[in-house]
């Protein structure tokens, strides 16, 4: 990332971004000097998970107070906008990111062999909050992970396993039946399945489908890109840039791709602001800015992570690995400092050397 300054097409942006990325260097150096025990690792995950419970209680309380004042049910769902903070969490905090934080905490309580009533209650609390955050990608991956755990990892009897599985399915089904959550899924599927000629018109705003995002020669300021369609458009822009620019090996430079995306915004006549968004895909973000070398390093890091999770038979670690792989498909998570701190810290905790002697030191 630092070396990319020398060939960056926007040296000012690259230089400003390097301090934000220092977690990639400093946190692993710290863990290289520290040898933690298995008990220490469990304590760290415990403290983290209970901290997430406190965060959840805070934002649920905030939503209840805001609803009692404004009578606006949007206070319980997703995130608002920067200029209209009406959601469950602020836009700056990002509901998708919070979903990952909460999901990792959930698996701490969920995978305990002996669960107390408190553990069960906190698990249900975190599931409910995760559903309210309405992140489609994380919810789907979360469901797959839970089903996988029930089918392959739980040591409960078949009768208890089926009972717990049915309870989980009912909780998810009830959660997804809420109007605003259901509408988010329906809107995404409706727009994604529509063709160039069947995309819907609402209040003069044209909802772009995946087909249009990939094929249209031009757009208009009235075009709105739902989440998946916008990400498809960004993938299209990346492949265009890959053909037009010599970025295969080294990329544009750290945080230097925005300049090119703004040029594409003008070329395709998009609504002002779309060009300032990053690729919303960590793999493409690294490829565009750091070339195939940066992408290869990221893939090696992720491969090592999931390999260790499988070898250690640690389902919390495995859940973290899978959530990161899936999150990187829809978010440039490592372009945010909180994303870097979360990913690198958790990565180091799960992959750190474990001291066989459980010493207090």
């Amino acid at each position: 990332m630092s070396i990319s300054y020398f060939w960056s097409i926007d040296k000012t942006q690259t230089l400003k971004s390097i301090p934000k990325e220092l977690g990639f260097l400093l946190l692993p150096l710290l863990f290289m000097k520290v040898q933690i025990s298995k008990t220490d690792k469990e304590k760290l995950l415990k403290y983290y998970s209970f901290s997430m419970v406190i965060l959840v209680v805070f934002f649920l309380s905030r939503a209840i107070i805001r609803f009692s004042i404004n009578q606006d049910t949007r206070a319980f769902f997703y995130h608002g906008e920067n200029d209209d903070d009406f959601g469950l969490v602020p836009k700056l905090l990002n509901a998708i990111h919070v979903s990952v934080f909460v999901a990792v905490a959930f698996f701490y309580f969920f995978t305990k062999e002996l669960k107390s009533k408190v553990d069960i209650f906190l698990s249900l609390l975190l599931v409910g909050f995760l559903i309210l955050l309405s992140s489609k990608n994380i919810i789907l991956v979360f469901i797959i992970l839970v089903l996988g755990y029930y089918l392959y990892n739980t040591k409960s009897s078949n009768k208890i396993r089926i009972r717990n599985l049915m309870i989980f399915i009912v909780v998810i089904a009830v959660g997804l039946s809420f109007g605003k959550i259901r509408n988010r899924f329906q809107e995404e599927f409706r727009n994604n399945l529509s063709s160039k000629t069947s995309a819907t018109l609402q209040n003069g705003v044209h909802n772009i489908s995946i087909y249009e995002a990939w094929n249209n020669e031009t757009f208009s300021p009235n075009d709105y890109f739902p989440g998946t369609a916008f990400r498809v458009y960004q993938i299209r822009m990346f492949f265009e840039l890959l053909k037009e620019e010599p970025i295969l090996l080294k990329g544009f430079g750290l945080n230097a791709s925005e300049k090119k995306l703004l040029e594409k915004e003008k070329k395709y006549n998009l609504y002002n602001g779309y060009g300032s968004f990053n690729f919303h895909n960590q793999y493409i973000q690294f490829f565009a800015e750091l070339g195939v070398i940066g992408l290869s390093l990221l893939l090696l890091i992720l491969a090592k992570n999931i390999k260790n999770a499988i070898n250690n038979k640690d389902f919390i670690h495995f859940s973290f690995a899978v959530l990161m792989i899936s999150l990187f498909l829809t978010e440039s998570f490592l372009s945010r400092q909180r994303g870097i701190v979360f990913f690198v810290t958790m990565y180091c905790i799960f992959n750190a050397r474990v001291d066989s002697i459980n010493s207090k030191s």
Side-chain angles (χ1 to χ4, degrees), residues 114-351:
L114 298 175
K115 298 182 183 67
S116 66
K117 291 182 179 179
V118 173
D119 293 326
I120 295 172
F121 171 76
L122 294 180
S123 297
L124 293 174
L125 177 68
L126 293 173
V127 169
F129 192 77
L130 184 68
I131 294 172
L132 292 177
L133 287 170
S134 314
S135 171
K136 300 177 288 294
N137 174 34
I138 300 303
I139 289 175
L140 292 175
V141 173
F142 173 79
I143 292 173
I144 293 170
L145 284 170
V146 172
L147 293 177
Y149 180 82
Y150 271 124
L151 293 174
Y152 299 106
N153 291 278
T154 183
K155 297 180 181 179
S156 305
S157 65
N158 287 336
K159 185 176 180 180
I160 295 176
R161 185 186 304 180
I162 293 173
R163 183 203 66 186
N164 292 342
L165 183 60
M166 292 302 297
I167 292 173
F168 172 75
I169 292 173
V170 169
V171 170
I172 293 293
V174 171
L176 295 180
S177 67
F178 282 111
K180 291 188 180 297
I181 301 173
R182 184 180 67 248
N183 290 342
R184 277 185 53 78
F185 279 85
Q186 287 179 343
E187 178 187 359
E188 197 69 44
F189 286 121
R190 182 172 59 249
N191 288 307
N192 291 342
L193 294 174
S194 60
S195 68
K196 183 177 180 179
T197 58
S198 63
T200 57
L201 286 168
Q202 296 178 349
N203 301 323
V205 177
H206 182 215
N207 291 301
I208 295 295
S209 67
I210 286 180
Y211 178 91
E212 292 173 306
W214 188 258
N215 292 285
N216 278 16
E217 294 298 325
T218 186
F219 299 93
S220 77
N222 286 334
D223 288 338
Y224 168 73
F225 288 80
T228 304
F230 178 67
R231 286 163 174 82
V232 168
Y233 165 81
Q234 293 289 65
I235 294 172
R236 174 186 172 185
M237 294 304 102
F238 165 72
F239 281 113
E240 287 189 9
L241 291 170
L242 192 61
K243 290 180 180 178
E244 299 166 359
E245 307 281 349
I247 60 172
L248 178 63
L249 186 63
K250 299 184 296 184
F252 290 121
L254 179 65
N255 206 34
S257 59
E258 182 178 327
K259 181 178 179 180
K260 292 296 180 179
L261 290 175
L262 285 170
E263 292 175 3
K264 293 293 182 180
E265 174 192 279
K266 295 178 181 178
K267 175 183 176 181
Y268 285 100
N269 194 32
L270 266 65
Y271 179 77
N272 185 33
Y274 275 121
S276 61
F277 291 130
N278 59 36
F279 282 103
H280 279 66
N281 181 309
Q282 193 60 62
Y283 306 106
I284 288 178
Q285 193 80 37
F286 267 36
F287 202 153
E289 297 184 347
L290 303 174
V292 70
I293 297 174
L295 175 64
S296 299
L297 289 171
L298 176 64
L299 294 177
L300 284 171
I301 290 170
L302 295 177
K304 179 70 172 177
N305 191 32
I306 199 162
K307 178 185 176 182
N308 287 348
I310 294 171
N311 289 342
N312 296 333
K313 297 180 180 179
D314 184 340
F315 194 82
I316 306 177
H317 185 178
F318 180 77
S319 300
F320 166 74
V322 172
L323 284 167
M324 289 296 101
I325 290 171
S326 62
L327 178 67
F328 288 174
L329 288 170
T330 61
E331 296 292 315
S332 295
F333 191 60
L334 303 180
S335 294
R336 296 290 188 94
Q337 192 171 47
R338 67 167 165 271
I340 296 165
V341 172
F342 174 79
F343 174 73
V344 178
T345 303
M346 282 295 183
Y347 188 96
C348 290
I349 289 173
F350 284 121
N351 294 284

